[in-house]
Amino acid sequence: MKQTTVNWRVYSLVQMGLINRIGRGKFIIEKKGNFIPDVSPKMKTIHHKLIKSFPYLKICIWNTSALNEFMLHQPGRFYLLIEVEKEATQSVFYFLKDAQYSVFIEPTSDLLEKYAPKEKESLIIRSLVSEAPLQSIKGINTTSLEKMLVDVFCDDVIFPSQQGAEMRTLFMEALNKYSVNENRMLRYASRRGKKESFSKYLNSISNLWQNIKLADNL
């Protein structure tokens, strides 16, 4: 069989949903859905205000509560993350502050611990990493599962509740439940300067998952 024929048949199977692509040259037969985070009314309102005032700004907005689906222990405090191009972070910060939102910009862990209000949800402005894997839900640019997993691995300031054993649980649940593109994660991890360490961690999670599957089949 010619290589072009193989490529076309693989493409056809992907289009029919009979196999899922999880990386370059990697496919699974098991049918898995795509992760779609919740878009709350508050997110819609903030997104609308920002687009109206900054019409050419690239924005990613999502809530850390989206991680709860994959976690064993549920945190009591969440952050609404607003990621924009680096040169616009200050402008967006002051715009939302003037609009009476509780908002922080690129906070440290000490700052969040000392000054984050007792309310359940605060806004955090962060720089949007170029070529971050995003998706559009209801006209709003938000996170993909690939971006979310890499962010948790790379940032223990915003995601302290998702570290250690909880991160292993989070990764295993996410990879088991949804179709995840490994190449997209590795490219994004590379943009964040953590490709090598993230790749090692991802391999350890894959090996752990395979051992669990093997034990279940014995």
Side-chain angles (χ1 to χ4, degrees):
M1 186 179 292
K2 294 181 180 179
Q3 185 63 43
T4 53
T5 304
V6 173
N7 293 342
W8 175 251
R9 291 190 179 179
V10 169
Y11 173 79
S12 299
L13 290 171
V14 172
Q15 295 302 110
M16 290 186 290
L18 297 178
I19 61 175
N20 285 322
R21 188 189 306 274
I22 61 171
R24 185 182 298 275
K26 294 182 178 180
F27 303 87
I28 56 172
I29 297 176
E30 182 181 3
K31 180 66 176 177
K32 293 184 180 181
N34 294 317
F35 173 71
I36 301 177
D38 181 56
V39 177
S40 68
K42 185 175 183 178
M43 288 170 61
K44 291 179 183 177
T45 298
I46 293 173
H47 186 271
H48 176 73
K49 289 181 177 180
L50 290 175
I51 290 298
K52 186 176 180 181
S53 298
F54 307 93
Y56 302 107
L57 186 64
K58 188 171 184 179
I59 302 170
C60 174
I61 182 169
W62 63 286
N63 198 304
T64 58
S65 62
L67 295 164
N68 280 21
E69 178 181 347
F70 312 110
M71 296 176 63
L72 183 61
H73 302 97
Q74 306 291 299
R77 185 168 65 183
F78 309 110
Y79 299 122
L80 201 162
L81 304 178
I82 302 168
E83 299 173 90
V84 298
E85 293 146 302
K86 186 175 182 179
E87 58 271 18
T89 53
Q90 291 281 346
S91 298
V92 170
F93 171 73
Y94 288 114
F95 173 80
L96 292 173
K97 199 170 182 64
D98 289 342
Q100 305 302 310
Y101 285 103
S102 171
V103 59
F104 298 87
I105 180 170
E106 302 285 5
T108 62
S109 54
D110 287 341
L111 183 65
L112 289 176
E113 190 66 31
K114 291 178 181 178
Y115 301 109
K118 298 299 182 182
E119 61 189 67
K120 195 174 182 180
E121 181 181 82
S122 297
L123 275 62
I124 292 180
I125 309 299
R126 308 202 310 167
S127 297
L128 179 63
V129 177
S130 61
E131 301 180 29
L134 310 179
Q135 62 177 321
S136 180
I137 305 297
K138 300 177 182 178
I140 295 176
N141 270 352
T142 189
T143 186
S144 64
L145 184 53
E146 290 87 353
K147 179 183 185 303
M148 200 163 68
L149 292 175
V150 174
D151 284 344
V152 168
F153 178 83
C154 294
D155 191 343
D156 59 1
V157 173
I158 304 300
F159 307 102
S161 300
Q162 289 81 22
Q163 301 303 305
E166 194 67 66
M167 184 159 65
R168 287 194 297 274
T169 299
L170 192 157
F171 267 71
M172 290 179 68
E173 287 295 317
L175 294 172
N176 180 52
K177 189 172 183 179
Y178 293 106
S179 178
V180 181
N181 190 305
E182 294 179 12
N183 284 347
R184 292 183 79 194
M185 286 196 291
L186 291 173
R187 282 197 300 270
Y188 180 51
S190 179
R191 300 296 297 177
R192 298 206 58 170
K194 295 286 186 72
K195 182 178 181 178
E196 185 176 347
S197 57
F198 182 80
S199 179
K200 289 180 180 178
Y201 184 79
L202 193 59
N203 285 335
S204 71
I205 293 296
S206 297
N207 291 336
L208 179 59
W209 181 247
Q210 289 174 8
N211 290 336
I212 291 175
K213 284 285 190 180
L214 181 61
D216 288 341
N217 291 330
L218 292 177

